[in-house]
Amino acid sequence: MKHLTRWLVLLLAFAMVAAACSQGDDGDATDDTEATETTEATDDGDSTETTEDMTDDTEGDGGDMMELATDFGVDTENMTITLGLLSDLTGPFGPLVSAIAEGIRVYWEDVNANGGINGYTVELDVVDTVYVVDSHVQLYEEMRDNVAAIQHSTGSPHTVAILPQLAEDSMLTIPLTWYSGWSDPALNANLLSHGSPYCLESMNGISYIAEDTGGTTIAIASVPGDYGLDGAAGAALAAEALGLEVVYDGSGQIIPSDETTLTAVANGITDSGAEIVWTTTTPGTMSAIFGQAIANGFNGAWGGNSPNWSPSFVAPDSPIKDAIAEMYYNSTYQVPWFDPAADAERELFRQYNAEAPALDYYLEGFTEAKIMHEALLAAYDNGDWTRAGILAAAKSLESVELGSYAPSEVYAGEPNERVQRASYIGRPDPAGLAAGESTGWTLSEGPYTADITAAYEFNEACYSLDG
Amino acid sequence: MIPTVVLAQAGATNDFAEMVAEGLSLGSIYALLGMGLVIIFKATRVLNFAHGALTAAGAYLIAAFASIYDIPGRWIPGVAPWFSWTLSVILALIAAAFLGVLLERAFIRPMVGEEMFAVALVTLGVDIMLRGITNDFIGTDPRPLGDPFGTQILDLGWVTVAYSEVAQFFTAVVLVAGVALFFRSRTGIAMRATAFDQEAARAQGINVGRIFSIAWAIGAVLATVAGLFISIFPRRSAGVDTSTAFFVFRAFPVVIVGGLDSVVGAILGGFMIGFAESAAVSYLQFDFLGAGFGGIVPYIVMLIVLIVRPYGIFGTEEIRRV
Amino acid sequence: MRGRPLLYTSYQEDQSLLNTWTKKLMAALFLALLLIAPFGIVPGLGFLGDNDWVKLMSQVFIFAIGALGLNLLTGLAGQVSLGHSFFLGIGAYTAAWLGGEAGGALLGEGLPMWVWLPAAAVVPAIIGLIVGPTAVRVRGLYLAIVTLGLVIIGEYVFRNWKGLTGGSQSGRTHPEFQFKFWKEGTPLFDFGQDATIAGFQISSEVSTYMLMLGFAVAAVLVAKNIQRSRTGRAFQAIRDRDVAAEVMGVNEFKYKLLAFGLSSAFAGFAGALLASFVGRSIPERFDLFLAVQFIAMIIIGGAGTVSGTLMGAAFVLILPRVVRDLTDWGAAIVESGEGVLAWIGDLFIATSPDDFGLINTLPGVGPGLSVDQLNGVLFGLLIVLFLIFEPLGLYGIWLRIRNYWKGWPFTY
């Protein structure tokens, strides 16, 4: 045994010396063959140097092509550009985000089928963060040198956690979260947000419900964190502006992993006898609180932010479908899937995916992809597809037209001028869902901007994330 | 649909009565879970950490038989929905029993004679595995169980109770009686003998392996029934989803309070903790307690009991020998 | 003595840290390998120089520190604890309070690392000693559930103490790794910035890696020394038979309490490192799953051994990465549709919506395990398989390989 280990040790030592000697060669080889690959990028020092190399390559190969500066995620040889998706595919928002990711995939498949972006094929690097901050950070770390921009990043604390890294990498990122704080210049240096923030969405929703039902008392309940507390803050603002009495305030009281909090909130809502309920939570907890509240005899009007809703509420087998149809108001950022305003998008989607169930969230995927598309085109026109170039082009966008299914986004001006104030309000439609004619709800009004929302002076986040 | 009579009386109900009703409802679920854990522990000396996964898997089986594939309802058209639903549930319970036996044969039997910790940790691994597979079947949206109770509510004047909660309470009572009777049957006595001393039981001609399988089958069936009532109106109206499995983490204190090896303890512990939790949710609503105090009440009760009696109220003290 | 590896002439020699010449050399080589790995110059392991791997390996070191703590408690003293993540949380938030910046309603003193890092070990140790007596009173499975309660109650406290933790789902930032004398503006050395040391360009990732490696080595030495001291032997005596240990004069209460305190100190230290390493944490981070991960590390590595614990930590953290890469690789082969490999792979991997496979690489569509679910299932399966077939874990496998080669080429 002794002899053997000695031999092994000797061999190992020899191998290491040999490796150290041949190190130089290895390095060169890597540079030649896979210039854009991770190994090159990890040197991490000057990206400008790499940029120059790449520009030279392009000139050599391309001939008539315009001079395009690139660094990460763009393969000038195979003419591809890679975008990263930090998605929650199997976590609490899995149903939404996987449909959004599918919408994005279809959009780019169509772009690629029609010649790509000036000949460049768009490729996607999709990873599943499971809505966990640590995995989000680690997965970003794994993908950052392979992508030119982040097509979406799910979750606010998650996105905040990678902000320093995004800044270091000059990485354009579309946040897949409607946190009102994205308008804050301290946070949005790398972000291009879209849609009405939870806070303003709550205002629209409550204003609509109050008008529709004439209710004067309101109960508010939400999950903790940026999503829940931002939505609840908007609800409180709406109550103040409309003169509604807040009879129960359960902001941040819903803990999805703890069933007792659902019972407590349901009891609180029932005992308050509110005429309007506004919840900012997840579909699973929403159905539980709603069920327990109506079991206690509650029958007020009920609304909630977009991620509250799931078509499964009104599925044929759902016990609460009739109660939901009677009491619930759905709020969201675009028209329903079957709305005539989304005809073009729906047809396009079905060309590439005829099988997938009808869901609204594909449209959100289209929105994100379209915004990214605009940014990439603008950057291409500047001849700069480096990450910094894409970010700069995105930041100089004035507005993005999304089509008739969602309001266009304005990116120029102060937060108060550019914030998206319009959202869409609808009512559940179990019959339509059963007949396959709707995604479970129909549009009542949209794009809808309530008077109180239009008048709201938006200068800072409704709820701020400390530290 | 919600009867309008109830709506007119909303708020007229008595808080205390609501608390008692919720305590009974929660308590019966805890008792079902606790009994399953105790029966498995008594027979095989395993604290089953995979009980949560079994609950979710069982609830999914019901959803699959009753709602997704509609077995056997699709072959016998024309029968009342509640009848075909009951048949589906029975099939699901049989499937769950087989699942329990399968887990026991595959993962627990090889560990016979090993330390208690080691086996408990095996079930922890089984829990993670089974939950992953179940979650894949459930998918991302909740799966409704297609139960016939709907959102119907029984209005007793001073309290409103969902039909499903009434059904749940009676099911629990029937199952408690069933377990009590089972322990008087031949197999039940064999199980008690096995619990007392495996080798002596074997010497008496008891097929200990069979007893193990039966215990796991019963445990899985009880977990499935609990999973059913966790996943329907009013508790989780949308159905079984990926968080259903976590409910059981609140039931572990039940068996500790009652004593790991006492069926009576599990039932009493279940109702005790059910009431404590329900009372905390109803009456302990102070701002300084923040969100979710009710959720830790089972553990607080457990700690208090353990300080007084380290083996639970009805548990047998282990005699320590060198 | 040369050439007679198992001949010890003194008790001291038998108990020394690295009792054979081979072990000393292997340890030195392994350490050298870890030291040069992040520069990407190790042949065949060049990928270890990639930033993502440097960060992953840094996490391995952090988790190894925490796992060494659990190994003292569970592996040596035989007390199963599901509450390890609670102590990680205490450590992380002690560090955040002392070292973090105050902002809004957040607590933070902005003290330097030499204050917050030791405090992150001391405070959890004290809390471990406070809750210890209750835990010492109960035995076996009862203890497992009591420690489970610790995690659940701890998560409740973390969620609701907004000033300390930033609140549920919001979280807070944690102090950065910087050397400072006191609260001065420019640190002596900042691990968050790329630096030049003696003409060498060192990226922030690599310098942080080195810092974590240093802490891990220190933790290994401490753990190893505890294990071979009187305390370590007392722990093992309690594990093997508590009553017998007491009869031999081991104070059961004192040593169990000590085991709790020591293990909590390791956990707290690791928690502070982990939170600061990621930069931001939410209270939900310190949940039961984290505790189970630690248990898996010592089961898979081999309970009771330091080297096994290290292997376990590396295994549990690196496995998801490897599985993900393998799946991507497999999916690429299947999509290329060429060769036998693609045909076999197609049986297991679904790459299009109408395909069926055990693994599904599409975002959330169709049946088949997603990569994350696959990782979960494998994780559970490994815990089970190791417990059933190799209770000594990876360390046991290593022993077998070593023993096989000892007699090679003669099997006896």
Coordinates of all heavy atoms in Angstrom, one line a residue, chain A residues 89-90 94-95 98 252-253 255-256 258-264 267 271 284-285 287-288 291-292 294-299 310 312 317-320 322-323 326-327, chain B residues 1-2 6-7 10 15 18 22 67 140-142 144 146-147 150-151 153 160 162 230 233-238 241 247 250 277 281-282 285 290-292 294-296:
Chain A
L89 N -40.2 28.4 -12.4 CA -41.0 27.5 -13.2 C -41.8 26.5 -12.3 O -42.8 26.0 -12.7 CB -40.1 26.7 -14.2 CG -39.4 27.5 -15.2 CD1 -38.5 26.7 -16.1 CD2 -40.3 28.3 -16.1
T90 N -41.2 26.1 -11.1 CA -41.9 25.1 -10.3 C -42.1 25.7 -8.9 O -42.6 24.9 -8.0 CB -41.0 23.9 -10.2 OG1 -39.7 24.2 -9.9 CG2 -41.0 23.1 -11.5
G94 N -45.1 29.3 -10.4 CA -44.8 28.4 -11.5 C -45.9 28.5 -12.6 O -45.5 28.6 -13.8
P95 N -47.2 28.4 -12.3 CA -48.2 28.4 -13.4 C -48.1 29.6 -14.3 O -48.2 29.6 -15.5 CB -49.5 28.4 -12.7 CG -49.2 27.9 -11.3 CD -47.8 28.3 -11.0
S98 N -44.3 29.9 -16.1 CA -44.0 28.9 -17.2 C -44.8 29.3 -18.4 O -44.3 29.2 -19.6 CB -44.2 27.5 -16.8 OG -45.2 27.3 -15.9
G252 N -49.6 42.1 5.0 CA -48.5 41.2 5.4 C -48.9 40.1 6.3 O -48.0 39.5 6.9
Q253 N -50.2 39.8 6.5 CA -50.6 38.8 7.5 C -50.7 37.4 6.9 O -50.9 36.5 7.7 CB -51.9 39.2 8.2 CG -51.9 40.5 9.0 CD -51.1 40.2 10.3 OE1 -51.3 39.3 11.0 NE2 -50.1 41.1 10.6
I255 N -49.3 34.2 5.5 CA -48.0 33.5 5.3 C -48.4 32.2 4.5 O -49.0 31.3 5.1 CB -47.4 33.1 6.7 CG1 -47.3 34.3 7.6 CG2 -46.0 32.5 6.4 CD1 -46.3 35.4 7.2
P256 N -48.0 32.1 3.3 CA -48.5 31.0 2.5 C -48.1 29.6 3.1 O -48.9 28.7 3.0 CB -47.7 31.2 1.1 CG -47.5 32.6 1.1 CD -47.2 33.1 2.5
D258 N -48.1 28.8 6.1 CA -48.7 28.6 7.4 C -50.3 28.8 7.3 O -50.8 29.9 7.2 CB -48.2 29.7 8.4 CG -48.7 29.5 9.8 OD1 -49.7 28.7 10.0 OD2 -48.2 30.2 10.7
E259 N -50.9 27.6 7.4 CA -52.4 27.5 7.2 C -53.1 28.4 8.2 O -54.2 28.9 7.9 CB -52.8 26.1 7.3 CG -53.9 25.7 6.4 CD -53.4 25.2 5.1 OE1 -52.2 25.0 4.9 OE2 -54.3 24.9 4.2
T260 N -52.6 28.5 9.4 CA -53.4 29.2 10.4 C -53.5 30.7 10.1 O -54.5 31.3 10.5 CB -52.7 29.1 11.8 OG1 -51.4 29.7 11.7 CG2 -52.6 27.7 12.3
T261 N -52.6 31.3 9.4 CA -52.7 32.7 9.0 C -53.9 32.9 8.1 O -54.5 33.9 8.1 CB -51.4 33.2 8.4 OG1 -51.2 32.5 7.2 CG2 -50.2 33.1 9.3
L262 N -54.1 31.8 7.2 CA -55.2 31.9 6.3 C -56.5 32.0 7.0 O -57.4 32.8 6.8 CB -55.2 30.8 5.3 CG -53.8 30.5 4.7 CD1 -54.0 29.3 3.7 CD2 -53.3 31.7 4.0
T263 N -56.7 31.1 8.1 CA -57.9 31.1 8.9 C -58.0 32.4 9.6 O -59.1 33.0 9.6 CB -57.8 29.9 9.9 OG1 -57.4 28.7 9.2 CG2 -59.1 29.7 10.6
A264 N -56.9 32.9 10.2 CA -57.0 34.2 10.9 C -57.5 35.3 10.0 O -58.3 36.1 10.4 CB -55.6 34.5 11.5
N267 N -61.1 34.9 9.1 CA -62.0 35.3 10.2 C -62.0 36.8 10.3 O -63.1 37.4 10.5 CB -61.4 34.7 11.5 CG -61.7 33.2 11.6 OD1 -62.4 32.7 10.8 ND2 -61.1 32.6 12.6
D271 N -65.4 38.9 10.1 CA -65.9 39.6 11.3 C -66.0 41.1 11.0 O -66.8 41.8 11.7 CB -64.9 39.4 12.5 CG -65.0 37.9 13.0 OD1 -65.9 37.2 12.6 OD2 -64.1 37.5 13.7
G284 N -53.1 29.9 -4.5 CA -53.5 28.9 -3.5 C -54.0 29.5 -2.2 O -55.1 29.0 -1.8
T285 N -53.4 30.5 -1.7 CA -53.9 31.1 -0.5 C -55.2 31.9 -0.7 O -56.0 31.9 0.2 CB -52.8 32.1 0.1 OG1 -52.4 33.0 -0.9 CG2 -51.6 31.3 0.6
S287 N -57.6 31.1 -2.7 CA -58.7 30.2 -2.8 C -59.1 29.7 -1.3 O -60.2 29.5 -1.0 CB -58.4 29.0 -3.7 OG -57.5 28.1 -3.1
A288 N -58.0 29.5 -0.5 CA -58.3 29.1 0.8 C -59.0 30.1 1.7 O -59.9 29.9 2.4 CB -57.0 28.7 1.5
G291 N -62.5 30.6 0.4 CA -63.4 29.5 0.8 C -63.8 29.6 2.3 O -65.0 29.5 2.6
Q292 N -62.8 29.9 3.1 CA -63.1 30.0 4.6 C -64.0 31.2 4.9 O -64.9 31.1 5.8 CB -61.8 30.0 5.4 CG -61.0 28.7 5.2 CD -59.8 28.7 6.1 OE1 -59.8 29.2 7.2 NE2 -58.8 27.9 5.6
I294 N -66.3 32.5 2.8 CA -67.7 32.3 2.5 C -68.3 31.2 3.3 O -69.5 31.2 3.6 CB -67.9 32.0 1.0 CG1 -67.2 30.8 0.5 CG2 -67.5 33.2 0.1 CD1 -67.5 30.3 -0.9
A295 N -67.4 30.3 3.9 CA -68.0 29.3 4.8 C -68.4 30.0 6.1 O -69.4 29.5 6.7 CB -66.9 28.3 5.1
N296 N -67.8 31.1 6.4 CA -68.3 31.9 7.6 C -69.5 32.8 7.2 O -69.9 33.5 8.1 CB -67.1 32.8 8.1 CG -66.0 32.0 8.7 OD1 -66.2 30.8 8.9 ND2 -64.9 32.6 9.0
G297 N -69.9 32.7 6.0 CA -71.0 33.5 5.6 C -70.7 34.9 5.0 O -71.6 35.7 4.8
F298 N -69.5 35.1 4.6 CA -69.1 36.4 4.0 C -69.7 36.5 2.6 O -69.7 35.5 1.8 CB -67.6 36.5 3.9 CG -67.1 37.8 3.4 CD1 -67.2 39.0 4.2 CD2 -66.7 37.9 2.1 CE1 -66.8 40.2 3.7 CE2 -66.3 39.1 1.6 CZ -66.4 40.3 2.3
N299 N -70.1 37.7 2.1 CA -70.6 37.8 0.8 C -70.4 39.2 0.1 O -71.2 39.7 -0.6 CB -72.1 37.4 0.7 CG -73.0 38.5 1.3 OD1 -72.5 39.3 2.2 ND2 -74.2 38.6 0.9
S310 N -56.2 32.7 -10.5 CA -55.9 31.5 -11.3 C -57.1 31.0 -12.0 O -58.2 31.0 -11.3 CB -55.3 30.4 -10.4 OG -55.4 29.1 -11.0
S312 N -58.0 28.2 -12.3 CA -58.5 27.0 -11.7 C -59.7 27.4 -10.7 O -60.4 26.5 -10.3 CB -57.4 26.3 -10.9 OG -56.9 27.1 -9.9
D317 N -64.6 21.7 -12.0 CA -64.6 21.0 -10.8 C -64.5 21.8 -9.5 O -64.5 21.3 -8.4 CB -63.5 19.9 -10.8 CG -64.1 18.6 -11.1 OD1 -65.3 18.4 -10.9 OD2 -63.3 17.7 -11.5
S318 N -64.2 23.1 -9.7 CA -63.9 23.9 -8.5 C -65.2 24.2 -7.7 O -66.2 24.6 -8.3 CB -63.3 25.3 -9.0 OG -63.4 26.2 -8.0
P319 N -65.2 23.9 -6.4 CA -66.4 24.1 -5.6 C -66.7 25.6 -5.5 O -67.9 25.9 -5.2 CB -66.0 23.5 -4.3 CG -64.5 23.5 -4.2 CD -64.1 23.3 -5.6
I320 N -65.8 26.5 -5.6 CA -66.1 27.9 -5.4 C -66.4 28.7 -6.6 O -66.5 29.9 -6.6 CB -64.9 28.6 -4.7 CG1 -63.6 28.3 -5.4 CG2 -64.8 28.1 -3.2 CD1 -62.4 29.1 -4.9
D322 N -69.0 29.2 -8.5 CA -70.1 30.1 -8.6 C -70.0 31.3 -7.7 O -70.3 32.5 -8.0 CB -71.4 29.3 -8.2 CG -71.7 28.2 -9.2 OD1 -71.5 28.5 -10.4 OD2 -72.1 27.2 -8.7
A323 N -69.4 31.1 -6.5 CA -69.2 32.2 -5.6 C -68.2 33.2 -6.1 O -68.4 34.4 -6.1 CB -68.7 31.7 -4.2
E326 N -69.7 35.3 -8.7 CA -70.6 36.3 -8.2 C -69.8 37.4 -7.6 O -70.3 38.6 -7.6 CB -71.5 35.6 -7.2 CG -72.8 36.3 -6.9 CD -73.6 35.5 -5.9 OE1 -74.2 34.5 -6.3 OE2 -73.6 35.9 -4.7
M327 N -68.8 37.1 -6.9 CA -68.1 38.1 -6.0 C -66.8 38.7 -6.5 O -66.4 39.8 -6.1 CB -67.9 37.5 -4.6 CG -69.2 37.1 -3.9 SD -68.9 35.8 -2.7 CE -67.9 36.6 -1.5
Chain B
M1 N -74.3 26.6 -4.1 CA -74.5 28.0 -3.9 C -74.7 28.3 -2.4 O -75.0 27.5 -1.6 CB -75.8 28.5 -4.6 CG -75.5 29.1 -6.0 SD -74.0 30.1 -6.2 CE -74.3 31.4 -5.1
I2 N -74.4 29.5 -2.1 CA -74.5 29.9 -0.7 C -76.0 30.3 -0.4 O -76.6 31.1 -1.1 CB -73.7 31.2 -0.4 CG1 -72.4 31.1 -1.2 CG2 -73.5 31.4 1.1 CD1 -72.0 32.4 -1.7
V6 N -78.1 32.5 5.3 CA -76.9 32.6 6.0 C -76.3 34.0 5.8 O -75.8 34.6 6.7 CB -75.9 31.5 5.5 CG1 -74.6 31.7 6.3 CG2 -76.4 30.2 5.7
L7 N -76.3 34.5 4.6 CA -75.7 35.7 4.3 C -76.4 36.8 5.1 O -75.7 37.7 5.6 CB -75.9 36.1 2.8 CG -75.3 35.0 1.9 CD1 -75.5 35.5 0.4 CD2 -73.9 34.8 2.2
A10 N -74.8 37.0 8.5 CA -73.4 37.0 8.7 C -73.0 38.0 9.8 O -73.6 39.1 9.9 CB -72.8 37.5 7.4
D15 N -68.6 34.1 18.4 CA -67.2 33.9 18.2 C -66.7 32.6 18.9 O -65.9 31.9 18.4 CB -66.4 35.1 18.9 CG -66.1 36.1 17.8 OD1 -66.5 35.9 16.7 OD2 -65.5 37.1 18.2
E18 N -67.8 29.7 17.0 CA -66.9 29.5 15.8 C -65.6 28.9 16.2 O -65.1 28.0 15.5 CB -66.6 30.9 15.2 CG -67.7 31.6 14.5 CD -68.0 31.0 13.1 OE1 -67.2 30.1 12.7 OE2 -69.0 31.4 12.5
E22 N -64.2 25.4 14.7 CA -62.9 25.3 14.0 C -62.0 24.3 14.8 O -61.2 23.5 14.2 CB -62.3 26.7 14.0 CG -60.9 26.7 13.4 CD -60.7 26.4 12.0 OE1 -61.8 26.2 11.3 OE2 -59.6 26.2 11.5
S67 N -61.6 13.2 -10.2 CA -61.8 14.4 -11.0 C -61.1 14.3 -12.3 O -61.7 14.5 -13.4 CB -61.4 15.6 -10.2 OG -61.3 16.7 -11.1
T140 N -48.5 22.6 -11.7 CA -48.3 23.9 -11.1 C -49.7 24.5 -10.6 O -49.7 25.2 -9.6 CB -47.7 24.9 -12.1 OG1 -48.3 24.7 -13.3 CG2 -46.2 24.6 -12.2
D141 N -50.8 24.0 -11.2 CA -52.1 24.5 -10.7 C -52.7 23.5 -9.7 O -52.4 22.3 -9.8 CB -53.1 24.7 -11.8 CG -53.0 26.1 -12.4 OD1 -52.8 27.0 -11.6 OD2 -53.2 26.3 -13.6
P142 N -53.5 24.0 -8.7 CA -54.1 23.1 -7.8 C -55.1 22.2 -8.5 O -55.6 22.5 -9.5 CB -54.8 24.0 -6.8 CG -54.6 25.4 -7.2 CD -53.7 25.4 -8.4
P144 N -58.6 20.2 -8.1 CA -59.8 20.0 -7.3 C -60.1 18.5 -7.1 O -59.8 17.7 -8.0 CB -60.8 20.7 -8.1 CG -60.3 20.9 -9.4 CD -58.8 20.9 -9.4
G146 N -63.1 17.3 -6.6 CA -64.5 16.9 -7.2 C -65.4 16.4 -6.1 O -66.3 15.6 -6.4
D147 N -65.3 16.9 -4.9 CA -66.2 16.4 -3.8 C -67.6 16.9 -4.0 O -67.8 18.0 -4.6 CB -65.7 16.8 -2.5 CG -65.7 18.3 -2.3 OD1 -64.8 18.9 -2.9 OD2 -66.5 18.8 -1.6
G150 N -69.5 20.6 -2.1 CA -69.5 22.0 -2.7 C -69.3 23.0 -1.6 O -68.5 22.8 -0.7
T151 N -70.0 24.1 -1.7 CA -69.8 25.2 -0.7 C -71.1 25.2 0.2 O -71.4 26.3 0.7 CB -69.6 26.5 -1.4 OG1 -70.7 26.7 -2.3 CG2 -68.3 26.6 -2.1
I153 N -73.5 25.1 3.3 CA -73.2 25.4 4.6 C -74.4 25.1 5.5 O -75.6 25.3 5.1 CB -72.9 26.9 4.8 CG1 -71.6 27.3 4.1 CG2 -72.9 27.4 6.2 CD1 -71.4 28.7 3.8
T160 N -71.9 28.7 11.8 CA -72.1 28.1 10.5 C -71.0 27.1 10.2 O -69.8 27.4 10.6 CB -72.0 29.2 9.4 OG1 -70.8 29.8 9.5 CG2 -73.1 30.2 9.5
A162 N -69.5 24.2 7.4 CA -69.6 23.6 6.0 C -70.0 22.2 6.1 O -69.6 21.5 7.0 CB -68.3 23.8 5.3
I230 N -58.1 18.2 4.0 CA -57.2 19.4 3.9 C -57.5 20.1 2.6 O -57.4 21.3 2.5 CB -55.7 19.0 4.1 CG1 -55.4 18.5 5.5 CG2 -54.8 20.2 3.8 CD1 -54.1 17.9 5.6
F233 N -63.1 22.4 0.1 CA -63.7 23.5 0.7 C -64.0 23.2 2.2 O -64.5 22.1 2.4 CB -65.0 23.9 0.0 CG -65.9 24.9 0.6 CD1 -65.6 26.3 0.3 CD2 -66.9 24.6 1.5 CE1 -66.4 27.3 0.8 CE2 -67.6 25.6 2.1 CZ -67.4 27.0 1.7
P234 N -63.9 24.0 3.2 CA -63.4 25.4 3.0 C -61.9 25.6 3.2 O -61.4 26.7 3.1 CB -64.1 26.1 4.2 CG -64.2 25.1 5.2 CD -64.3 23.7 4.5
R235 N -61.2 24.5 3.6 CA -59.8 24.7 3.9 C -58.9 25.1 2.8 O -58.2 26.1 2.8 CB -59.2 23.4 4.6 CG -58.5 23.6 5.8 CD -58.4 22.4 6.6 NE -59.4 22.4 7.7 CZ -59.4 23.2 8.7 NH1 -58.5 24.1 8.8 NH2 -60.4 23.2 9.6
R236 N -58.9 24.3 1.7 CA -58.2 24.7 0.5 C -59.1 24.4 -0.7 O -59.1 23.4 -1.3 CB -56.9 23.8 0.3 CG -55.8 24.2 1.2 CD -54.8 25.0 0.4 NE -53.8 25.6 1.3 CZ -52.8 26.4 0.9 NH1 -52.7 26.8 -0.4 NH2 -51.9 26.9 1.7
S237 N -59.9 25.4 -1.0 CA -61.0 25.2 -2.0 C -60.5 24.8 -3.3 O -61.2 24.0 -4.0 CB -61.8 26.5 -2.1 OG -62.2 26.9 -0.8
A238 N -59.3 25.3 -3.7 CA -58.9 25.0 -5.1 C -58.4 23.6 -5.3 O -58.3 23.1 -6.4 CB -57.8 26.0 -5.5
D241 N -52.5 21.0 -3.8 CA -51.4 21.6 -4.5 C -50.0 21.3 -3.8 O -50.0 20.5 -2.9 CB -51.6 23.2 -4.6 CG -51.6 23.9 -3.3 OD1 -51.1 23.3 -2.3 OD2 -52.1 25.0 -3.2
F247 N -48.7 20.6 5.6 CA -49.7 20.6 6.7 C -49.3 19.7 7.8 O -49.4 20.0 9.0 CB -51.1 20.2 6.2 CG -52.2 20.5 7.1 CD1 -52.9 21.6 6.9 CD2 -52.5 19.6 8.1 CE1 -54.0 21.9 7.8 CE2 -53.6 19.9 9.0 CZ -54.3 21.1 8.8
R250 N -47.4 20.5 11.2 CA -48.1 21.0 12.4 C -48.6 19.8 13.2 O -49.1 20.0 14.3 CB -49.2 21.9 12.0 CG -48.7 23.3 11.7 CD -49.6 24.0 10.7 NE -50.9 24.2 11.3 CZ -52.0 24.4 10.6 NH1 -51.9 24.4 9.3 NH2 -53.1 24.6 11.2
E277 N -54.9 25.8 18.9 CA -54.6 26.6 17.7 C -55.8 27.5 17.3 O -55.6 28.7 17.0 CB -54.3 25.7 16.5 CG -53.3 26.2 15.5 CD -53.1 25.2 14.4 OE1 -52.5 24.2 14.7 OE2 -53.6 25.4 13.3
V281 N -55.9 31.5 17.1 CA -56.3 32.3 15.9 C -57.4 33.2 16.2 O -57.5 34.3 15.7 CB -56.6 31.3 14.8 CG1 -57.3 32.0 13.7 CG2 -55.4 30.6 14.3
S282 N -58.4 32.8 17.1 CA -59.5 33.6 17.4 C -59.2 34.7 18.3 O -59.7 35.9 18.2 CB -60.7 32.8 17.9 OG -61.1 31.9 17.0
Q285 N -55.1 38.0 18.8 CA -54.9 38.8 17.6 C -54.3 40.1 18.1 O -54.9 41.1 18.2 CB -56.2 39.1 16.9 CG -56.7 37.8 16.2 CD -55.8 37.4 15.0 OE1 -55.1 38.2 14.5 NE2 -55.8 36.1 14.7
G290 N -47.5 39.7 15.6 CA -47.2 39.6 14.1 C -48.1 38.6 13.4 O -49.1 38.2 13.9
A291 N -47.6 38.1 12.3 CA -48.3 37.2 11.5 C -47.9 35.8 11.8 O -46.7 35.5 12.0 CB -48.1 37.5 10.0
G292 N -48.9 34.9 11.9 CA -48.5 33.4 12.0 C -48.3 32.9 13.4 O -47.6 31.9 13.5
G294 N -50.5 31.6 15.3 CA -51.3 30.4 15.4 C -50.5 29.2 15.0 O -50.6 28.1 15.5
G295 N -49.6 29.4 14.0 CA -48.9 28.3 13.4 C -47.8 27.7 14.3 O -47.4 26.6 14.2
I296 N -47.4 28.5 15.3 CA -46.4 28.0 16.2 C -47.0 27.5 17.5 O -46.3 26.9 18.3 CB -45.2 28.9 16.5 CG1 -45.7 30.2 17.1 CG2 -44.5 29.3 15.2 CD1 -44.6 31.0 17.7

